[in-house]
Amino acid sequence: MDTMKLYNEWREKAVDDADLISELNSIEGDENEIFERFYTALKFGTAGLRGIIGAGTNRMNIYVVRQATQGLANYVIKKYGKGAVAISHDSRIKADLFMIEAAKVLAANGIKAYITTELQPTPVLSYLVRYFKCQAGIMVTASHNAAKYNGYKAYGEDGCQMTDNAAAAVYDEITKLDIFNDVKTMDFDEGVKAGLIEYVDDSVYDSYLEKVMEQQVNPGICKGAGLKVVYTPLNGCGNKLVRKVLAKIGVEETVIVKEQELPDGNFPTCPYPNPEMKEALQKGLELCEKEQADLLLATDPDSDRVGIAVKDYDGSYRLITGNEDGAMLTNYILSCKKENGQLPEKPVVVKTIVTTKLVNKLCEKYGCELKNVLTGFKYIGEVILNLENKGEENRYLFGFEESYGYLSGTYVRDKDAVVASMLVCEMAAYYKKQGKYSLAEVIDGLYEEFGYYLNKTFAFEFEGAAGMQKMADLMSGVRENLPKEVAGYKVVKVSDYQLKKETDLVTGETTDITLPTSNVIALNLEGDHGVIIRPSGTEPKIKLYITAVGDSKDNAQDICEKIVNSTKEILGL
């Protein structure tokens, strides 16, 4: 790729955004900066596009967005003849501009674009795709990445993020296009006038909230519970809808982290607005201390994930992991629905293969079918779709992944921090009325009943082409020389998601794995411990997901350390 030729072409043709003109002029003569922006093009995959905001083919800008949208339009026209696409955005820099540019391209191709009047959570975009019976959807977001990033998530007609095959088909269309000459666009006002661009009416968001409210397990439980909640939208798009739903269910006091209340793509108080990280929650934790709240809720910028902290026994605040919150919510939903006589016949809970096995115990206890899927919420959505196709969607109760994403109900097909925030508050109120000190007592009670399930992730980096080969060799080495034990614990079952075979080493029985092919090996150990080994799909890293089950936290941590060290030895790390 001739980076200098591309640079000069962009200086000549990229004239629709003053910021890009200024940036291109500022790097004149700087070969390194030019190379960084033009040596490659952002690749469109199952997560759509994601990159640093700026000029060039390797950056997020209106031209890259237009090209991607033209590719999506060509895909929709080839597959459906015509169609409609819903588009929304979060608080990221230029996110509203990118939404408008995408709408202009779709309109120029005769595809109707439903756009939002203001920023909205990712689950709302999933809802809009289904509500308007669209053929695709676009969410302009970079999720929890740093402020300099933006992105473009593409959705299919079912409201799930695009599958591998669909994303590959869109990418194939994109690669055929010249970024300047092959992209159609039209004047925005003309598109509105022609009925090809339409703003979503507020009544649609009200209908979304009604669906969220339908997921209540114990309606009215928050009234009179005296629940005090600190909430931070982390300068993202959860502010309005989360607060609305908490008010609707009767949460009597919601205190907002003022520095993080309003949309701001610069994220001035949390450089990495990720609710998995303590640093992002620091302002909320400080406010909890001041207000002596029962609970902290923190939704990420596109409000599809929520992190929580709860009051600990010594008055400090304990961060709850995604696994712990998901286990508590699973237990709350199953136990209360059973008690209320509302458990459907053959209930279904779904989790990803790297998510806590404590859920297995809960599903056994309540006679619930547990479905394990590959990492990625679209696979949870796929389970819902399969149930829906059989007329059995009412069997689905809850799905979650360890990275703080949860969904109750089938009204959307992506993780939803709005419904999760509602259920967490409802659960906190329920146990508070039972006299529990806080949700800390609830998760500790589950550990006491089933064992302390500790889940930890470890990542090991391998740089460059040699690193990629090294990772491939490590995975091959494990497959060819499967360990009989890890840290003194016998390997009782091996699940190889690339070979799509699961082998019970106790009985010798082998069964087929019906999930999509993925380069993942899971070693199930005696004592319900486990190791999952997988190369990252986006970074040059091998990841280890460790499950250690102890009779206390300290005991589980000791076991975890032994398993990690033993696994590193086996892999030669």
Side-chain angles (χ1 to χ4, degrees):
M1 190 175 284
D2 188 336
T3 55
M4 195 55 67
K5 182 182 175 187
L6 278 172
Y7 168 70
N8 288 326
E9 184 184 19
W10 275 63
R11 289 194 74 182
E12 179 192 338
K13 296 180 178 177
V15 295
D16 294 343
D17 185 335
D19 290 343
L20 299 187
I21 297 168
S22 173
E23 183 181 343
L24 290 166
N25 289 339
S26 73
I27 62 172
E28 185 178 5
D30 190 330
E31 290 184 11
N32 287 338
E33 289 295 334
I34 291 169
F35 181 79
E36 273 299 312
R37 287 161 176 77
F38 292 98
Y39 81 94
T40 189
L42 292 181
K43 190 174 188 306
F44 188 98
T46 54
L49 298 168
R50 193 171 296 184
I52 295 167
I53 302 159
T57 54
N58 190 34
R59 294 288 187 268
M60 282 296 297
N61 52 67
I62 60 172
Y63 299 101
V64 168
V65 166
R66 287 175 181 174
Q67 183 188 36
T69 309
Q70 183 65 57
L72 179 67
N74 292 351
Y75 165 81
V76 168
I77 290 165
K78 278 186 179 177
K79 186 169 181 181
Y80 302 101
K82 57 180 181 177
V85 177
I87 322 175
S88 189
H89 66 91
D90 68 5
S91 61
R92 297 236 161 223
I93 295 163
K94 293 188 181 286
D96 53 347
L97 173 65
F98 293 168
M99 177 186 76
I100 294 296
E101 292 297 331
K104 286 160 62 177
V105 172
L106 292 167
N109 284 275
I111 295 171
K112 180 151 188 170
Y114 292 97
I115 64 171
T116 56
T117 49
E118 61 180 0
L119 71 174
Q120 292 291 344
T122 287
V124 170
L125 184 277
S126 176
Y127 181 76
L128 296 178
V129 170
R130 296 174 60 75
Y131 182 91
F132 290 113
K133 296 181 171 56
C134 294
Q135 281 63 53
I138 299 165
M139 180 69 191
V140 182
T141 176
S143 189
H144 55 271
N145 279 66
K148 65 182 179 179
Y149 286 86
N150 208 333
Y152 177 114
K153 284 185 187 174
Y155 286 73
E157 62 181 329
D158 57 351
C160 280
Q161 277 194 57
M162 279 194 168
T163 60
D164 296 345
N165 290 341
V170 173
Y171 182 59
D172 183 55
E173 294 295 337
I174 293 169
T175 56
K176 296 173 187 173
L177 302 169
D178 180 274
I179 200 165
F180 295 112
N181 301 324
D182 296 336
V183 177
K184 298 177 187 173
T185 187
M186 76 184 299
D187 178 77
F188 180 80
D189 291 335
E190 287 296 318
V192 173
K193 194 174 172 182
L196 286 165
I197 299 173
E198 182 180 320
Y199 281 106
V200 175
D201 188 78
D202 286 349
S203 63
V204 181
Y205 308 126
D206 292 338
S207 73
Y208 160 81
L209 273 182
E210 284 169 18
K211 294 293 184 186
V212 170
M213 293 290 289
E214 286 174 13
Q215 308 314 314
Q216 292 176 90
V217 179
N218 289 299
I221 195 75
C222 291
K223 290 169 186 166
L227 193 68
K228 190 172 191 178
V229 177
V230 165
Y231 170 56
T232 172
L234 296 178
N235 300 117
C237 59
N239 190 32
K240 285 190 175 181
L241 290 181
V242 170
R243 289 169 76 172
K244 267 189 185 178
V245 82
L246 296 194
K248 278 177 178 285
I249 65 170
V251 174
E252 286 150 6
E253 196 170 358
T254 304
V255 186
I256 308 301
V257 178
K258 285 295 175 188
E259 302 96 322
Q260 299 172 342
E261 177 180 17
L262 299 178
D264 187 343
N266 293 299
F267 309 113
T269 60
C270 53
Y272 294 93
N274 182 351
E276 293 182 67
M277 298 173 70
K278 186 177 181 181
E279 294 78 8
L281 276 56
Q282 193 56 44
K283 290 285 182 189
L285 291 168
E286 289 167 11
L287 190 56
C288 279
E289 296 277 2
K290 181 185 170 188
E291 295 286 340
Q292 286 300 293
D294 296 288
L295 183 67
L296 168 66
L297 295 174
T299 54
D300 66 344
D302 64 325
S303 198
D304 60 352
R305 301 186 309 138
V306 61
I308 73 171
V310 303
K311 207 168 197 177
D312 217 339
Y313 308 108
D314 62 358
S316 66
Y317 285 84
R318 187 199 293 191
L319 295 177
I320 298 295
T321 69
N323 278 315
E324 289 176 324
D325 195 9
M328 283 194 289
L329 285 168
T330 302
N331 182 65
Y332 171 67
I333 292 167
L334 290 176
S335 63
C336 288
K337 282 190 177 287
K338 184 169 185 177
E339 190 181 315
N340 300 340
Q342 294 175 336
L343 260 188
E345 200 175 330
K346 299 180 183 172
V348 172
V349 166
V350 193
K351 73 173 187 68
T352 59
I353 58 174
V354 298
T355 297
T356 180
K357 293 197 281 184
L358 178 54
V359 176
N360 301 48
K361 298 294 185 185
L362 293 167
C363 288
E364 284 170 23
K365 179 177 178 178
Y366 293 104
C368 178
E369 182 182 351
L370 175 65
K371 290 185 179 289
N372 281 289
V373 297
L374 295 179
T375 305
F377 218 89
K378 62 176 177 264
Y379 296 116
I380 295 175
E382 195 172 55
V383 171
I384 300 172
L385 179 63
N386 291 339
L387 289 169
E388 187 178 63
N389 288 340
K390 294 188 285 185
E392 298 176 0
E393 62 267 33
N394 68 310
R395 290 176 58 201
Y396 171 83
L397 290 182
F398 190 58
F400 80 103
E401 55 189 4
E402 34 73 53
S403 53
Y404 296 62
Y406 317 95
L407 177 64
S408 174
T410 63
Y411 58 100
V412 297
R413 297 299 156 84
D414 209 344
K415 46 195 178 284
D416 186 351
V418 182
V419 78
S421 297
M422 179 190 81
L423 288 170
V424 167
C425 289
E426 189 183 301
M427 174 171 68
Y430 173 82
Y431 289 117
K432 188 170 184 177
K433 283 186 171 179
Q434 284 192 350
K436 301 278 188 195
Y437 176 74
S438 80
L439 289 177
E441 193 175 341
V442 177
I443 187 62
D444 288 348
L446 292 179
Y447 288 148
E448 201 173 308
E449 184 177 355
F450 298 106
Y452 196 104
Y453 276 75
L454 180 68
N455 298 88
K456 289 220 167 180
T457 305
F458 300 85
F460 303 91
E461 291 199 26
F462 297 84
E463 292 297 339
M468 296 302 285
Q469 186 57 51
K470 174 75 171 164
M471 289 198 300
D473 292 344
L474 283 177
M475 295 302 289
S476 298
V478 175
R479 285 193 172 90
E480 289 162 14
N481 300 285
L482 287 169
K484 291 187 168 52
E485 61 175 48
V486 178
Y489 298 103
K490 284 182 186 172
V491 179
V492 294
K493 189 185 286 182
V494 177
S495 304
D496 191 324
Y497 294 87
Q498 183 155 292
L499 302 179
K500 302 182 83 162
K501 293 287 181 190
E502 187 168 87
T503 306
D504 187 320
L505 300 184
V506 177
T507 64
E509 186 184 354
T510 299
T511 52
D512 291 334
I513 293 173
T514 57
L515 301 179
T517 303
S518 186
N519 191 10
V520 179
I521 298 170
L523 307 174
N524 292 282
L525 312 178
E526 60 184 342
D528 219 15
H529 313 304
V531 181
I532 295 176
I533 309 163
R534 76 183 259 276
S536 168
T538 54
E539 302 168 289
K541 293 178 180 176
I542 287 269
K543 289 190 173 182
L544 303 182
Y545 298 84
I546 307 296
T547 298
V549 188
D551 52 23
S552 69
K553 184 176 183 178
D554 288 345
N555 179 224
Q557 284 177 331
D558 287 344
I559 294 169
C560 179
E561 194 175 329
K562 287 173 186 168
I563 292 174
V564 173
N565 290 336
S566 179
T567 306
K568 283 167 67 178
E569 202 174 305
I570 289 164
L571 293 174
L573 293 171

